Amino acid sequence: MSFELLEKFRDPELCRKLLDKMRGELTDELRFMEVCGTHTVAIFQSGLRSLLPEKIVHLSGPGCPVCVTHESEVNAFLDLAGNERVILATFGDLMRVPGEGRRNLKKAQADGARIKVVYSPFDTLKLAKENPDALVVFIGVGFETTAPTIAGTMKMARRQGIRNLRVLCFHKTVPTALDALLSDTAINLDGFILPGHVSAIIGTDPYDFIAEKYGKSAVVTGFEPLDILQSLNQMIEWRNTGEAHVANNYTRIVGEHGNPKAMEIMYEVFEPCDALWRGIGMIPGSGLEIRPEWEEFDAKKEFGIVITDGPALKGCKCGDILKGIKQPDECPLFGKACTPADPVGPCMVSTEGSCAAYYKYKLD
Amino acid sequence: MSEKVLLDYGSGGRASQRLISQLFLGNLGNDELNRLNDAAELAVSGRVAMSTDSFTVDPIFFPGGNIGSLAVHGTVNDVAMMGAIPKYMTCAYIIEEGLPMDDLEVIVKSMAEAVEHAGVLIVSGDTKVVPKGAVDKIFINTTGIGDIIVDPAPSGDSARSGDAVLISGTIGDHGLTILGTREGLDFEAEVKSDSAALNHLLVRLVQELPEVHVLRDPTRGGLATTLNEITTSSNVCCELNENALPIRPEVKGGCSILGLDPLYLANEGKFICILPEAHAEQALEIMRADPLGQDACRIGTMTDANPGKVVLVTGLGGKRLLGMLEGEQLPRIC
Ligand code: SF4
Ligand code: SF4
């Protein structure tokens, strides 16, 4: 989209009008959660958070793939980093995620591990060809946004006869996690700002249960202040009339049924499985694993990796934060033992994590 | 094949002699440097400002300048930010074996142009050639000194609540040019480095307005980091007005493509000026009368609300923290 058009979605006059409207129509508290980390950052960066009426309670959800990567998954890829046969390929944002004993990929790299930051999963094809004696293992962390590209890479690798590429598949799916959150009675939410990028792939249908099963509203939303304000106003309106809907407010990018082609490729290679989410635990059917027909690419099989739930990192409140039970600055480690320079949990590492956003943008 | 810099040139023997007399003295020579003594003899007295900096920029050539002119501008500006007239410089070259001689010549020539324009003399120098891979093409260290002409000299810990915060022009141009060139990106509209010597403008400013509290050039870490340094050492709060920040549309566009924040990008030809409100208008007039300050404007105010912090009042009228950068800003490629 052009830059000028984007500016329109930041128009201060229109934003003020929407904020006034909100104030006029708010009767009681509205507790909303944005699922996606890019929304978290957008809400802070634009200064929107400081302008929202007090009655709007803003919570950040489990929408950053780095934040929800389970400790056991982190330890698994850190262990692989020590394997002499392996060249690990990863997106840059996993480099500083701390595992047991505060090890991370950056430190492993300094110790001599072969780790390559890639910008696209397709880069791993070249990497595998250039290093025929090594096993290139791509760390597959992400939601429906990244999974189709990785599926595409595996298809391409098979077509090109590349045999030394593996995927360590930790992909997770968003709607299943929201279902789990809503069924937890400790969590008190009125509505969701739904992720723009994920929805561009899956469309809005998979979210219908939010209104049907739980009577809550949810709006697929773009990343500009006007997008967010419009969605909040819609949710307030529905609540005042006692309605609940799942709507798409980001029609300039998200089609009703998403991107069927991407979904097809994704499910050709992956199938749903149970998955462990950091701080939340096991959510049935919320992960993706490599189908048996594609097991030649499966790093878990190759290295016998089993992901198990264990005690969470001591002191870290990531779970409560991802579930919207606590705000980041309510974590006793926040800003003290845990800072972006020396993070304890991934919510402080990821640029899209809510602890990092609080630390970076929040006044007082 | 064109000539390359060989290890011999750094040996101290004939080859070094030739390089120094032809290339360096030929371009940078002056009465003091030409004497080739072990040290320069200078007449300095009173309060002197001195600054040193090493330049390791990659790429060494970029739209708007190269490492040679940059090494002069950077040091001249640092000295001038102290309310001083920069007078003398030293420069040390560390050259990677294999650098094309033509490149070195272009660098030395533009260094010569830059000192000429800034009105400073290079009075001492050094050249080393190191094996391939020991440095990246060429590193240059420069040190500058100058006479301080105001008392007290402007200083980072002198900002006071109520002061106006001014900037001499658009921000982000240099940093985006460097990152863009490094990533091999061609921006649709022209973006080029703002690298320039600001000493003449700065001297005029402090001569007419000795009341200036702080002068700083927002180089590495950009405007946001420099302002954070100032608010920390002065223990005041800086409230920046996002709508007032001068950023070229090309720079805004380039930054949004690369996922960079122009507020953290380096500048090499701009300065921040913090001074009592009463003198703000006059300071802007002085700046705008110079081509290097034609886009000067007011961007904020010092307050005592959140001591030590920089607060951005966003385009929407909201407020948020504008913190220090954590690590390097990396362009996002996807
Ligand atoms: S990966 Fe996509 S959906 Fe997830 S936090 Fe980032 S932008 Fe949002
Ligand atoms: S502040 Fe650090 S330790 Fe606390 S929840 Fe956030 S990431 Fe975890």
Side-chain angles (χ1 to χ4, degrees), chain A residues 174-193:
Chain A
V174 169
T176 11
L178 300 187
D179 200 343
L181 282 187
L182 285 169
S183 64
D184 185 338
T185 47
I187 303 167
N188 170 14
L189 280 176
D190 296 305
F192 288 107
I193 297 281

Side-chain angles (χ1 to χ4, degrees), chain A residues 44-46 50-51 119 341 361, chain B residues 314 316 318-321 326:
Chain A
F44 274 105
Q45 208 171 32
S46 61
S50 66
L51 294 172
Y119 292 104
Y361 300 118
Chain B
T314 67
L316 296 186
K319 287 187 180 177
R320 68 159 168 96
L321 206 62
E326 186 64 61

Side-chain angles (χ1 to χ4, degrees), chain B residues 179-195:
Chain B
L179 285 174
T181 316
R182 199 184 295 165
E183 300 299 326
L185 293 174
D186 249 337
F187 296 109
E188 252 174 65
E190 195 183 308
V191 183
K192 67 179 185 23
S193 167
D194 56 2
S195 178

Side-chain angles (χ1 to χ4, degrees), chain A residues 142-344:
Chain A
F143 296 129
E144 291 92 332
T145 356
T146 36
T149 334
I150 291 159
T153 307
M154 286 157 69
K155 289 184 71 170
M156 184 88 84
R158 184 179 274 181
R159 221 174 305 138
Q160 296 182 359
I162 295 174
R163 296 179 177 283
N164 59 332
L165 178 71
R166 302 289 180 275
V167 174
L168 186 55
C169 185
F170 295 142
H171 285 97
K172 298 184 172 56
T173 51
V174 169
T176 11
L178 300 187
D179 200 343
L181 282 187
L182 285 169
S183 64
D184 185 338
T185 47
I187 303 167
N188 170 14
L189 280 176
D190 296 305
F192 288 107
I193 297 281
L194 293 172
H197 304 146
V198 167
S199 308
I201 306 288
I202 67 176
T204 57
D205 307 340
Y207 299 115
D208 285 343
F209 71 91
I210 297 175
E212 286 161 12
K213 189 165 152 198
Y214 296 101
K216 311 274 175 175
S217 291
V219 187
V220 174
T221 305
F223 298 96
E224 300 305 322
L226 267 184
D227 291 318
I228 296 163
L229 286 171
Q230 250 160 16
S231 297
L232 286 177
N233 266 305
Q234 263 175 318
M235 291 201 279
I236 294 170
E237 224 168 89
W238 291 329
R239 212 199 32 190
N240 287 349
T241 54
E243 295 164 64
H245 298 283
V246 171
N248 178 9
N249 205 354
Y250 196 32
T251 45
R252 60 186 192 273
I253 304 281
V254 177
E256 203 185 332
H257 302 296
N259 180 342
K261 184 92 194 113
M263 294 276 277
E264 192 191 305
I265 296 176
M266 179 166 96
Y267 282 113
E268 182 188 338
V269 172
F270 301 120
E271 62 188 2
C273 67
D274 298 346
L276 279 171
W277 293 58
R278 186 184 198 93
I280 299 177
M282 144 93 99
I283 305 177
S286 68
L288 293 173
E289 69 186 354
I290 297 171
R291 285 183 186 275
E293 303 89 287
W294 293 85
E295 72 173 10
E296 79 234 47
F297 292 101
D298 196 338
K300 280 191 203 154
K301 291 231 165 74
E302 174 99 27
F303 296 98
I305 292 170
V306 183
I307 299 301
T308 48
D309 207 354
L313 257 180
K314 241 183 115 202
C316 180
K317 292 275 173 283
C318 287
D320 285 350
I321 283 150
L322 296 173
K323 288 191 272 193
I325 294 173
K326 276 201 166 70
Q327 302 278 25
D329 46 5
E330 292 174 61
C331 168
L333 305 188
F334 178 85
K336 298 181 190 95
C338 182
T339 61
D342 193 11
V344 172

Side-chain angles (χ1 to χ4, degrees), chain A residues 3 6-7 10-12 15-16 19 44-48 50-51 96 119 225 229 340-341 358-364, chain B residues 183 242-243 249 252-253 256 261 264 306 309-312 314-323 326 331-334:
Chain A
F3 201 62
L6 262 185
E7 293 278 278
R10 292 175 191 161
D11 183 345
C15 284
R16 209 158 304 134
L19 278 164
F44 274 105
Q45 208 171 32
S46 61
L48 194 56
S50 66
L51 294 172
R96 286 170 51 234
Y119 292 104
L229 286 171
Y358 260 62
Y359 189 88
K360 196 163 167 210
Y361 300 118
K362 193 168 175 282
L363 263 173
D364 61 71
Chain B
E183 300 299 326
E242 186 171 52
N243 280 339
K252 261 193 201 172
S256 81
D261 185 341
Y264 292 94
N306 298 280
K309 297 199 164 132
V310 181
V311 173
L312 188 73
T314 67
L316 296 186
K319 287 187 180 177
R320 68 159 168 96
L321 206 62
L322 188 67
E326 186 64 61
R332 181 190 62 213
I333 303 296
C334 63

